[in-house]
Amino acid sequence: MKKTVMRAVRAALQLVPKNLKNKLKQSERLTAFYIKSVRKSGLFFDAPTPKQTHQLYQAWLQEHHSLLCEQINKNLQSWQAIIVGREEHFTKTEKAVLSLGAKNAIFINNEENTGFLHSKDSIDINLPILLLRGGDTVHAGAIAHFLDALESADIVYSDTDEALDNGEYTAPRFLPDWNPELQLSTGYVRTGVMLKADCLESVDCLTSIAGLLAKLELSGQHLNIKHISLPLVHSCFDDSDIARDLAVIREEIDTSSDATVTLSREQNVNRVMWKSASPLVSLIIPTKNGKQLVQDCVESILEKTTYSNYEILLIDNGSDEKESLDYFDYLNTLPKIRVLQYPGVFNYSAINNFGVKHAKGSVVGLVNNDIEVITPEWLTCMVGHVERDTVGCVGAKLLYSDTRIQHAGVVLGYGGGAGHAHKNFPRAHSGYLKRICATNNFSAVTAACLLVKKSHFEAVNGLNETDLAVAFNDVDFCLRVEELGVRNVYCAEAELFHHESVSRGLDISQEKAERFNKELTYLKNKWSKTIKNDPAYSPNLTLKRENFSVRIKKEIA
C-alpha cells in the first residue's frame, strides 16, 4: 500500500512545474515529510530490514562454516590478550580467551581512565596481542586466522557479529579493508584486533581500541594493517562505548594533526576539517549549450561557495544555441571565469584534459554542468582533504533533485564494472556502517564533482581519452591515482545537487551501446583484480544491488 501511494506521489511530482517544485523544496516540513514517506515506502531504496539481514546471515554462516572452523585444531604459537572496558564485563571475555589458549589476559578499566602504563610490565614483548572489548567472545577458529594473517602484517582486524541468547549469531558488521578516514569519523574497528607487541611501545594510554588505531594512523607510521573478512569476534556494544571511542579519537586528532574535529550529534560521527593553505582551485565545467543548467551551476558556485580562491573554466564543446552563446559571452566577462572553446566530437576525457592544461590552480576540480551547490563550505572541506599528502581524489555527496542519494562513493563490481554506493537512499539515511553520513575512503569517486592535485592529474596523464571517452573514465582515473600511493576520499560534508535526470531512461542506440560495452570491457580487463575484490567494500556484501545487504549464493526473498 505504501509503495502504491508513493508511486502515485512520484508520478504527480513529474507534472509539477519546475518553479513550483523548487518553492516546495524550500519547505523544511514538506521535505522532511517526503523523506520520511520515502523511507517508509521502500520504493526508492532497498535497505534490508534487521529481519532480512538475520535471515541472510544464517544462510551465509552455513555457506562459510567450514572456512570459519577449518583451523580449530591447529597447533598455535603463544599469544596474549588485552581486555578493555568495564570491570563487570571482564570475566566473560577472560574465560573466552583463556579457553582458546591465551598465555595471559591484561585488563584495562576504561571507566577509571587508568590508561595503560601500569600494565606494560605484564606484556611479553615477544608475543602477539589480541585486543578485545570487555564482554566480547571469540570464535573457536579465530586465533589461528589471526596468527596466520599476522605473519605478513603488523596489525590484523576481523569482521564481527553479535551473539543471541538462543545460540545464534546476528547483526554482522562486514568491514572494508583498512579505511583510515572511516576510522577517524566512526571508529569502525573497535574490537577484534591482533597486533605485534612492539606496536604499543610508544603508547602510554589505552582506553579505547578504536582510539589506539586512530593514534597509530595519525602518527604517520607505515604500518601494514590487514583485514580478515570473517566474523571472528562476537561483540557487544552500547551507545556509551561508541561515544567513548569517538571522544578518544577526537582527542587524538586534536593533539596529533593540523585539523579541527567536531561531533555531529545527529548522526553520531566525527566531522574532521583539515586545514589547508587555500590554494587556487581550477573548476572545469564542460558543456554544450545547456544555458539554464550552466547558469544554475555557475551562479550557485559564485553565490554560495565560502572558499574564495578559485577560478571557473567553462569548456564549450561546440554550442550552437544563441541563448547559450550569449550567456557564455557574458560569463567570459566575469573576473573568476574563463570560457574556452573545444570544438569537435564529445569526448569527456579529452575535454577535461584540455581544461586542465589551461588551469592555473595547483588543485583542479572536475564539475558537471548540472551540479548545484547546497553546502557553502563544500569546497573548503574538499580542499582540506585534497591538500593532504596521503590523499588522491576527493569526491562529494551528490543528491538527485528530489534529495535521494545519487553518489556517495563508487564500489567496484556493481553491474560487473562499477556503480554508486547507496544509490537512491534518502539524504538523511546514515548508510551501512554510516558510510553515507561519514567521510571515508572508497576506491573511486565520480568525476561529476571531483578534486585532485594538478600534480597527481599530470602524473597519471589525466583521463584516458583513447579507451574511455565517455564511461568509466573517472573510475579508471581514480584507480591510477591510487597507484601513486595515496587514498581516494568520499567527503560526506560536501553536499551538492546533481540534477541528473532520473526519468529519461537509458540511451540504447546501437552506436552508444557498442561504445559503452567496449568501455566496460576495457575497465574489466584492466582492473579485474580490484573489480573482483574491492578493498573499500567487502566480499561478503552483495554486488547485485547498491544496498550493502549480505551476499549469499542464493539470496533469500
Side-chain angles (χ1 to χ4, degrees):
M1 180 63 181
K2 289 177 181 177
K3 288 189 176 182
T4 302
V5 172
M6 287 308 299
R7 286 193 181 98
V9 171
R10 183 184 182 188
L13 285 174
Q14 303 303 316
L15 303 176
V16 176
K18 184 177 180 180
N19 290 340
L20 177 57
K21 193 182 295 185
N22 288 336
K23 287 183 180 180
L24 292 173
K25 287 178 187 175
Q26 294 173 6
S27 169
E28 292 185 7
R29 180 177 295 181
L30 283 175
T31 301
F33 174 75
Y34 179 72
I35 290 173
K36 184 177 180 180
S37 300
V38 165
R39 185 181 298 160
K40 286 183 176 180
S41 73
L43 176 60
F44 296 148
F45 75 110
D46 191 28
T49 65
K51 181 178 179 180
Q52 290 170 331
T53 298
H54 180 77
Q55 289 179 308
L56 287 167
Y57 189 44
Q58 302 319 300
W60 186 94
L61 287 170
Q62 290 181 8
E63 290 179 0
H64 292 81
H65 178 75
S66 59
L67 182 59
L68 282 162
C69 301
E70 65 182 0
Q71 303 188 76
I72 287 178
N73 297 318
K74 182 177 180 179
N75 291 326
L76 304 176
Q77 70 177 89
S78 294
W79 58 282
Q80 54 199 325
I82 294 178
I83 303 169
V84 182
R86 295 190 290 275
E87 188 172 359
E88 62 265 28
H89 295 153
F90 287 161
T91 301
K92 179 180 179 181
T93 306
E94 178 186 25
K95 183 178 179 181
V97 298
L98 293 179
S99 70
L100 294 176
K103 179 180 178 182
N104 67 326
I106 299 168
F107 305 99
I108 299 176
N109 187 335
N110 59 13
E111 288 192 322
E112 296 178 356
N113 201 28
T114 52
F116 180 52
L117 280 174
H118 72 287
S119 302
K120 274 194 168 183
D121 292 340
S122 303
I123 293 177
D124 187 332
I125 193 66
N126 297 309
L127 299 183
I129 301 169
L130 178 64
L131 303 174
L132 292 170
R133 292 282 310 197
D136 293 350
T137 57
V138 185
H139 189 277
I143 303 306
H145 283 288
F146 276 122
L147 291 172
D148 282 353
L150 198 64
E151 290 181 3
S152 58
D154 300 302
I155 300 173
V156 178
Y157 67 94
S158 76
D159 297 339
T160 67
D161 60 17
E162 296 178 11
L164 298 176
D165 293 338
N166 63 4
E168 289 187 345
Y169 299 103
T170 193
R173 297 179 75 249
F174 289 132
L175 309 178
D177 288 352
W178 180 236
N179 196 308
E181 305 304 327
L182 190 61
Q183 189 67 19
L184 296 181
S185 59
T186 71
Y188 80 105
V189 182
R190 302 168 185 150
T191 189
V193 177
M194 182 173 275
L195 44 70
K196 294 175 180 175
D198 57 8
C199 291
L200 299 179
E201 284 184 357
S202 61
V203 177
D204 294 331
C205 183
L206 200 172
T207 58
S208 162
I209 297 168
L212 169 68
L213 292 179
K215 179 183 181 70
L216 294 175
E217 173 64 27
L218 292 166
S219 71
Q221 299 181 61
H222 297 291
L223 296 171
N224 182 3
I225 302 178
K226 192 170 182 179
H227 167 224
I228 302 173
S229 299
L230 292 171
L232 300 179
V233 174
H234 313 306
S235 67
C236 59
F237 289 101
D238 58 33
D239 291 342
S240 63
D241 292 324
I242 297 172
R244 184 189 300 274
D245 287 340
L246 291 176
V248 173
I249 291 171
R250 288 196 298 277
E251 291 176 9
E252 294 295 343
I253 295 171
D254 283 336
T255 58
S256 306
S257 70
D258 189 21
T260 57
V261 56
T262 57
L263 175 68
S264 170
R265 297 188 182 281
E266 182 180 0
Q267 301 284 8
N268 201 27
V269 299
N270 287 335
R271 304 288 196 198
V272 187
M273 181 74 77
W274 298 91
K275 295 180 182 178
S276 78
S278 299
L280 177 64
V281 180
S282 298
L283 301 176
I284 298 165
I285 306 175
T287 194
K288 178 177 181 178
N289 298 315
K291 184 257 184 183
Q292 192 59 54
L293 282 176
V294 173
Q295 183 174 357
D296 292 343
C297 175
V298 170
E299 289 185 359
S300 75
I301 294 173
L302 295 175
E303 294 172 5
K304 297 180 182 178
T305 302
T306 54
Y307 188 94
S308 59
N309 195 20
Y310 65 87
E311 64 170 355
I312 295 175
L313 279 66
L314 184 69
I315 315 299
D316 182 3
N317 184 214
S319 296
D320 53 14
E321 294 176 356
K322 185 179 185 306
E323 65 171 359
S324 294
L325 293 171
D326 290 345
Y327 180 65
F328 299 164
D329 286 342
Y330 160 72
L331 289 180
N332 211 22
T333 66
L334 301 181
K336 280 185 173 292
I337 302 178
R338 286 184 282 154
V339 179
L340 305 176
Q341 302 299 320
Y342 185 91
V345 177
F346 175 75
N347 181 318
Y348 181 84
S349 297
I351 293 170
N352 279 286
N353 289 343
F354 169 80
V356 173
K357 288 178 182 177
H358 290 80
K360 297 178 181 179
S362 60
V363 173
V364 295
L366 309 185
V367 180
N368 278 16
N369 68 350
D370 53 356
I371 289 292
E372 180 183 346
V373 174
I374 300 173
T375 311
E377 297 80 17
W378 72 281
L379 196 50
T380 304
C381 295
M382 294 179 73
V383 170
H385 282 292
V386 82
E387 279 238 283
R388 297 160 61 197
D389 293 337
T390 57
V391 172
C393 301
V394 180
K397 179 193 290 185
L398 302 182
L399 310 175
Y400 286 120
S401 302
D402 60 6
T403 75
R404 288 178 293 124
I405 298 294
Q406 191 269 339
H407 168 267
V410 171
V411 171
L412 278 294
Y414 284 158
H420 291 181
H422 292 110
K423 189 174 182 179
N424 291 321
F425 274 53
R427 176 185 183 181
H429 202 287
S430 59
Y432 190 78
L433 300 179
K434 299 194 174 183
R435 294 186 73 176
I436 293 177
C437 67
T439 290
N440 61 104
N441 299 109
F442 277 92
S443 294
V445 292
T446 180
C449 183
L450 180 153
L451 257 59
V452 66
K453 297 180 187 71
K454 189 175 182 181
S455 59
H456 282 165
F457 191 95
E458 293 173 338
V460 299
N461 297 315
L463 301 179
N464 184 342
E465 57 190 75
T466 302
D467 303 297
L468 299 172
V470 179
F472 303 116
N473 36 48
D474 48 3
V475 177
D476 171 77
F477 174 73
C478 286
L479 293 175
R480 286 186 286 119
V481 169
E482 202 170 49
E483 288 186 328
L484 299 175
V486 291
R487 294 180 183 271
N488 299 320
V489 174
Y490 157 68
C491 179
E493 291 78 22
E495 287 188 314
L496 304 98
F497 281 122
H498 184 194
H499 296 297
E500 181 182 71
S501 173
V502 295
S503 59
R504 68 187 180 191
L506 296 174
D507 185 343
I508 54 174
S509 66
Q510 183 176 350
E511 178 184 355
K512 292 187 177 181
E514 289 176 354
R515 186 215 70 230
F516 177 85
N517 288 329
K518 181 179 178 181
E519 292 177 341
L520 177 58
T521 299
Y522 176 87
L523 185 78
K524 286 181 175 180
N525 290 339
K526 181 172 177 60
W527 300 106
S528 58
K529 183 177 179 181
T530 309
I531 289 173
K532 185 177 180 180
N533 188 9
D534 184 346
Y537 196 53
S538 168
N540 300 320
L541 296 174
T542 185
L543 293 173
K544 293 182 177 180
R545 294 172 299 281
E546 298 95 342
N547 66 354
F548 288 72
S549 63
V550 178
R551 180 183 190 177
I552 61 172
K553 293 177 182 176
K554 184 178 180 181
E555 296 191 1
I556 297 173

